[in-house]
Amino acid sequence: MAISLEDLTIARPDEIQLAIIIHQILNGISFLVKQDLTHGSITYSNILMSTQGVVKIAIPEYCSRKSSLVDIVALGCVMKQLMEGPTEAKRSGLQNPEYWSEEAVDFYSLTLSASPKQLAQHKFLDISPRKEELV
């Protein structure tokens, strides 16, 4: 059984948990890009997590052939919600960047312009060892 991040989030994740979640969402976006697709509607409520820590993008019927940048910007919005809570969903700078590493803040800022391939190589994702650390 999977539930959305919107239903799941009670407390802010730590940095390793954040990296694991974001890495899995990015893997989903990268898969879509390889299929020449974009989701176009990635939101906090459209990201599902299983009890085993597997994260997936819901509602695949939203997929179409558009630029993947829309999904990367949406990834940044989801990341910000995880970092600051769902009430801080507006896309702007982080309110409390000092709570996070330089790598996490840099990764977040790159979600406005980087490709999935560039983000996949970012140092921030190096700390996301295993999804099992989410459960």
Side-chain angles (χ1 to χ4, degrees):
M1 180 176 127
I3 58 174
S4 76
L5 291 182
E6 184 175 55
D7 295 330
L8 179 71
T9 305
I10 296 168
R12 182 175 53 206
D14 65 30
E15 190 145 327
I16 291 173
Q17 293 167 331
L18 177 68
I20 293 167
I21 293 167
I22 294 301
H23 200 172
Q24 290 186 68
I25 298 169
L26 182 59
N27 285 342
I29 292 170
S30 296
F31 173 81
L32 292 174
V33 167
K34 288 177 186 170
Q35 306 304 311
D36 199 27
L37 294 170
T38 191
H39 189 279
S41 190
I42 294 175
T43 65
Y44 204 52
S45 60
N46 287 344
I47 304 298
L48 304 178
M49 185 184 320
S50 75
T51 54
Q52 289 79 35
V54 176
V55 177
K56 295 192 176 207
I57 302 169
I59 316 176
E61 51 273 7
Y62 284 162
C63 293
S64 63
R65 301 199 185 284
K66 295 179 186 173
S67 166
S68 64
L69 184 58
V70 117
D71 286 344
I72 296 300
V73 170
L75 174 67
C77 290
V78 169
M79 185 174 183
K80 181 174 182 178
Q81 287 178 300
L82 287 166
M83 293 169 93
E84 299 191 337
T87 58
E88 301 292 333
K90 294 180 183 141
R91 183 65 204 231
S92 60
L94 294 171
Q95 299 298 315
N96 299 297
E98 67 276 6
Y99 292 160
W100 304 96
S101 70
E102 186 177 312
E103 289 83 9
V105 173
D106 185 56
F107 184 96
Y108 169 75
S109 69
L110 290 173
T111 61
L112 284 173
S113 60
S115 72
K117 188 175 184 177
Q118 291 169 314
L119 289 175
Q121 298 170 358
H122 196 278
K123 192 174 183 178
F124 171 64
L125 298 180
D126 291 346
I127 65 168
S128 65
R130 298 175 305 277
K131 63 183 176 288
E132 293 80 17
E133 295 201 20
L134 288 173
V135 293

